[in-house]
Amino acid sequence: MAYEEQDYHKRAFEWPVWKSILPYLKPYQKTLLMILALNLTSAAIDILMPLFQRFAIDHFIEARTAEGLGLFAAVYAGVILLQTAGVICFTRGCMRVEMGMGRDLKRACFVHLQTLSFSYYNVTPVGYILSRIMSDTNRIAGLMAWNLIDILWALFYVLGVFAAMLLLNPALALPVILVVPVIAVLTAYFQNRILHCNRQIRKAHSRVTSAYNEGIMGAKTSKALVIEEQNHREFQEVTGGLKKASVRSAQLSAVYIPLVMFCSSLATAIVLARGGQMVKESLIQIGTLSAFTSYAIGIFEPIQQLARTIAEAISVQANIERVTGLLEVKPQIVDRPEVIARYGDAFHPKKENWEPIRGDIEFRDVSFRYPDGEEEVLQHFNLKIPAGSTIAIVGETGAGKSTLVNLACRFFEPTEGQILIDGRDYRERSQLWLHSHLGYVLQSPHLFSGSVMENIRYGRLDASDEEVIAAAKAVSADQVVEKLENGYQSDVGEGGDRLSTGEKQLISFARAVLADPRIFVLDEATSSIDTQTEQLIQQATAKLLQNRTSFLIAHRLSTIRQADLILVVRDGRIVEQGKHIELLQKKGYYHDLYSRQFEEESAMRILEA
């Protein structure tokens, strides 16, 4: 929430912020120049229109003749057609810039997010990221494509109207010119306050949407806990804030609009009164008065638009800061330039230079603390893991079991010391080289929208259907597929929400198997699966993990008895290590964990019987 509540609206205009977004306009500079030319042409035509009106009144109506009317009508129609064509081209150009720039910003953000380290997602809310990619980029693109051009149109039109009025009759132009600063001051004063209220309304709308989302997603929990009344009170408070901000905005608009209309009407009345007298005294023609009246009525809307657009531009500066702030985040894990030159990066891999991997892993004098932490989780830790070994990591929830695996997988890097893969510091090779040889099954599996077949194939994109099916059978995921209406072509839904947690686990396990990795990580991968399915997976993994280095982050200690080495983690530190029998004989912390869990499982079996 802290990301969203900063008072960006209090900041003044800052050119460096705007300069940072200019590279995204460069591909569209020709289109922007065309849009600008068309817009200024349209403004010039808008300025000329009252002069056409003046000519028609003085030469046809007052003179009571139709001589030359055909030519006049043809020229007038031609100008109208020119303006219409210009508006069509202008609109198409603006839409092209808006859609293109919005796409480019979203693409830049998405690509950049792929390069960020594991730690960034560990501390950054998903809503913060989505807001920048979707909402902020849209506002920036819209402003650049439309609003900035509108500012130039309004300036050109207002200055052009002033020039036309002064050329026609300086004395009659003076009342209009004097009223304009009053309108400008009123607009600046009220627009800033209305804009502030509108920001509060947008924030309140977000809170209302969030409250609806929580209320719908947590409906069962609310009913089970009987907290409907409390939810109602909280929702009333949220909607009360929305109502207050909306009423305040409406009140400001109710005062502002009549004041502007009064000033505009006053200027028009002065023009008509004074101009009428001048027509009476034959000082000006009635066509000139008609043109002045059109100018007096039409000049105030561009001034209001100018003030609104400038206020909106200052507001969008905050969106630019947020998007560029995201794009300027540096990944904490970065390959060295010489490594990228040899092995490539995530988007341009040079696989021809990749060495094969055996799976020997060595922690050499490794110390580590998390980027947002102060205490060292590991201190001068040493461990050799021969290729093909199975390492189990156990401990209570929140003990820090994943730290060692995250280091081995290079999701984090050691604060001090080295981690060697096949005898070489893994920082001497690319991240993608290592990650391409990893198979990772998470405790909370994530599936992508699409079919079961597509989700398993993410393990190896060039795999055939037969290979996908074989991987599913290897871990009994075919039993899940058989229950689905369309088999392997069944849609799993967003995030896999059409499947149970256990079913998603089996699909993600098949995906990891298809990748045929040299290093396997199972992060409490059977914690959400029933006992019968777990036995099937254990039989499959006994074969699959042969000749592969594997890490088992275990919740059920009964699943890791055959591990080559068990690391016992407590309060973020490794307190014991050894094989299952050795650790039980020590009668230490592992013995206590195993005994307690054995008693709990025995009690559960008695209750189930």
Side-chain angles (χ1 to χ4, degrees):
M1 199 66 170
Y3 296 103
E4 302 295 338
E5 297 300 327
Q6 297 181 49
D7 289 329
Y8 287 107
H9 63 279
K10 293 182 179 178
R11 295 187 182 179
F13 178 85
E14 297 176 11
W15 168 244
V17 174
W18 292 85
K19 190 177 178 180
S20 64
I21 209 72
L22 293 182
Y24 296 95
L25 276 177
K26 191 173 182 180
Y28 308 100
Q29 56 187 356
K30 291 183 180 178
T31 305
L32 285 169
L33 289 173
M34 180 200 73
I35 291 170
L36 180 59
L38 290 170
N39 214 5
L40 295 183
T41 302
S42 177
I45 293 172
D46 288 334
I47 295 167
L48 287 174
M49 281 302 173
L51 299 180
F52 275 99
Q53 179 182 318
R54 170 180 177 247
F55 182 89
I57 292 173
D58 290 343
H59 289 79
F60 301 120
I61 298 175
E62 282 292 297
R64 297 181 182 274
T65 179
E67 187 178 348
L69 182 60
L71 178 61
F72 174 84
V75 172
Y76 188 82
V79 171
I80 293 295
L81 287 174
L82 176 63
Q83 187 177 43
T84 302
V87 169
I88 292 171
C89 294
F90 162 78
T91 304
R92 287 169 62 89
C94 285
M95 290 181 67
R96 181 174 180 272
V97 173
E98 181 183 14
M99 297 299 108
M101 188 178 180
R103 176 203 62 194
D104 295 345
L105 282 169
K106 289 180 176 65
R107 182 180 293 169
C109 290
F110 184 82
V111 170
H112 184 66
L113 285 167
Q114 308 306 302
T115 68
L116 295 182
S117 306
F118 189 79
S119 56
Y120 177 79
Y121 298 96
N122 221 24
V123 298
T124 309
V126 174
Y128 169 82
I129 299 173
L130 288 177
S131 175
R132 270 81 193 134
I133 294 177
M134 301 307 296
S135 177
D136 289 344
T137 56
N138 286 340
R139 288 198 71 197
I140 294 167
L143 176 87
M144 293 296 180
W146 299 91
N147 297 45
L148 294 184
I149 300 296
D150 286 343
I151 289 176
L152 294 175
W153 176 88
L155 280 172
F156 186 80
Y157 179 81
V158 170
L159 293 175
V161 167
F162 281 170
M165 287 193 297
L166 289 169
L167 287 172
L168 287 173
N169 192 295
L172 198 56
L174 190 60
V176 179
I177 295 174
L178 290 176
V179 171
V180 165
V182 177
I183 297 278
V185 170
L186 284 173
T187 300
Y189 177 83
F190 280 96
Q191 283 302 317
N192 283 334
R193 281 150 184 77
I194 292 172
L195 189 64
H196 177 68
C197 287
N198 287 339
R199 288 198 190 96
Q200 292 180 325
I201 290 170
R202 284 197 293 268
K203 287 182 181 180
H205 270 299
S206 298
R207 288 193 287 268
V208 169
T209 303
S210 177
Y212 262 116
N213 182 63
E214 288 186 3
I216 293 169
M217 298 298 292
K220 292 182 179 179
T221 304
S222 296
K223 290 185 178 297
L225 297 174
V226 196
I227 57 173
E228 290 92 342
E229 185 179 350
Q230 180 182 341
N231 289 345
H232 183 246
R233 284 198 305 270
E234 291 175 355
F235 190 73
Q236 278 187 315
E237 184 178 340
V238 172
T239 53
L242 175 59
K243 176 187 174 183
K244 183 178 179 181
S246 299
V247 169
R248 178 60 178 162
S249 178
Q251 287 174 338
L252 287 168
S253 296
V255 175
Y256 165 67
I257 294 173
L259 281 175
V260 171
M261 290 177 65
F262 171 76
C263 292
S264 177
S265 300
L266 179 63
T268 306
I270 293 171
V271 167
L272 286 171
R274 189 170 181 183
Q277 185 64 34
M278 293 174 76
V279 169
K280 228 172 142 182
E281 296 173 0
S282 299
L283 297 175
I284 62 171
Q285 294 178 304
I286 193 168
T288 302
L289 176 60
S290 175
F292 258 98
T293 305
S294 297
Y295 284 139
I297 294 171
I299 197 172
F300 298 109
E301 175 58 32
I303 293 172
Q304 295 174 64
Q305 180 180 330
L306 190 62
R308 282 196 301 267
T309 305
I310 291 172
E312 184 67 17
I314 294 172
S315 171
V316 170
Q317 180 173 285
N319 301 93
I320 297 174
E321 287 177 331
R322 288 192 286 255
V323 171
T324 54
L326 171 61
L327 291 171
E328 288 169 1
V329 174
K330 301 295 183 184
Q332 292 183 339
I333 311 299
V334 181
D335 290 328
R336 299 167 184 164
E338 61 270 20
V339 171
I340 295 175
R342 177 173 175 78
Y343 295 99
D345 57 23
F347 299 100
H348 306 93
K350 297 179 180 178
K351 293 187 178 182
E352 65 276 8
N353 295 333
W354 289 8
E355 297 91 345
I357 182 172
R358 296 191 308 275
D360 290 308
I361 302 175
E362 180 182 354
F363 289 76
R364 183 178 293 177
D365 198 30
V366 169
S367 297
F368 174 72
R369 65 173 174 270
Y370 283 100
D372 55 343
E374 296 181 358
E375 295 185 3
E376 289 192 332
V377 178
L378 292 176
Q379 288 183 331
H380 305 291
F381 176 71
N382 293 278
L383 178 67
K384 287 187 177 182
I385 303 172
S389 302
T390 299
I391 309 299
I393 305 173
V394 302
E396 295 181 336
T397 301
K401 299 188 291 295
S402 299
T403 301
L404 203 66
V405 171
N406 288 335
L407 284 168
C409 295
R410 205 183 169 192
F411 297 145
F412 294 97
E413 288 183 345
T415 309
E416 296 178 13
Q418 292 179 306
I419 296 178
L420 284 67
I421 305 290
D422 295 343
R424 284 180 61 186
D425 189 326
Y426 65 5
R427 286 171 286 204
E428 296 178 8
R429 295 188 176 103
S430 70
Q431 297 176 65
L432 189 61
W433 170 82
L434 175 58
H435 295 164
S436 296
H437 293 97
L438 288 178
Y440 210 120
V441 179
L442 297 167
Q443 179 181 2
S444 302
H446 177 81
L447 300 185
F448 298 93
S449 297
S451 67
V452 173
M453 179 75 73
E454 290 169 340
N455 269 278
I456 297 177
R457 188 174 276 122
Y458 278 120
R460 182 159 53 86
L461 294 175
D462 60 351
S464 65
D465 289 354
E466 291 73 21
E467 289 173 316
V468 171
I469 293 169
K473 287 181 177 179
V475 294
S476 304
D478 59 324
Q479 296 183 16
V480 174
V481 178
E482 289 171 1
K483 299 175 185 177
L484 301 176
E485 184 177 354
N486 297 318
Y488 284 94
Q489 300 307 318
S490 299
D491 192 343
V492 301
E494 185 178 354
D497 58 6
R498 295 184 182 178
L499 303 178
S500 68
T501 303
E503 289 171 336
K504 288 192 289 185
Q505 194 68 273
L506 285 168
I507 299 299
S508 66
F509 203 95
R511 183 167 60 197
V513 168
L514 182 64
D516 191 25
R518 302 309 305 162
I519 301 174
F520 226 103
V521 179
L522 306 182
D523 188 351
E524 301 199 17
T526 60
S527 62
S528 301
I529 299 176
D530 58 82
T531 305
Q532 183 179 359
T533 305
E534 181 183 355
Q535 291 174 351
L536 293 173
I537 288 182
Q538 287 178 356
Q539 293 172 10
T541 53
K543 298 177 182 178
L544 292 167
L545 298 185
Q546 288 180 359
N547 301 320
R548 290 184 174 89
T549 307
S550 56
F551 292 90
L552 307 179
I553 301 176
H555 175 70
R556 297 178 183 176
L557 302 185
S558 57
T559 64
I560 46 92
R561 294 174 183 171
Q562 304 304 317
D564 297 307
L565 178 67
I566 298 173
L567 302 176
V568 186
V569 181
R570 185 177 188 181
D571 297 328
R573 302 182 185 280
I574 296 172
V575 293
E576 294 178 4
Q577 56 180 297
K579 291 194 173 183
H580 175 69
I581 297 299
E582 297 171 351
L583 292 173
L584 286 180
Q585 290 173 346
K586 288 182 180 179
K587 294 188 179 296
Y589 184 60
Y590 179 81
H591 178 272
D592 293 341
L593 281 177
Y594 188 84
S595 300
R596 187 163 64 247
Q597 193 172 107
F598 181 78
E599 291 173 0
E600 291 173 356
E601 291 180 356
S602 298
M604 288 298 296
R605 283 195 292 269
I606 293 172
L607 290 173
E608 290 173 358

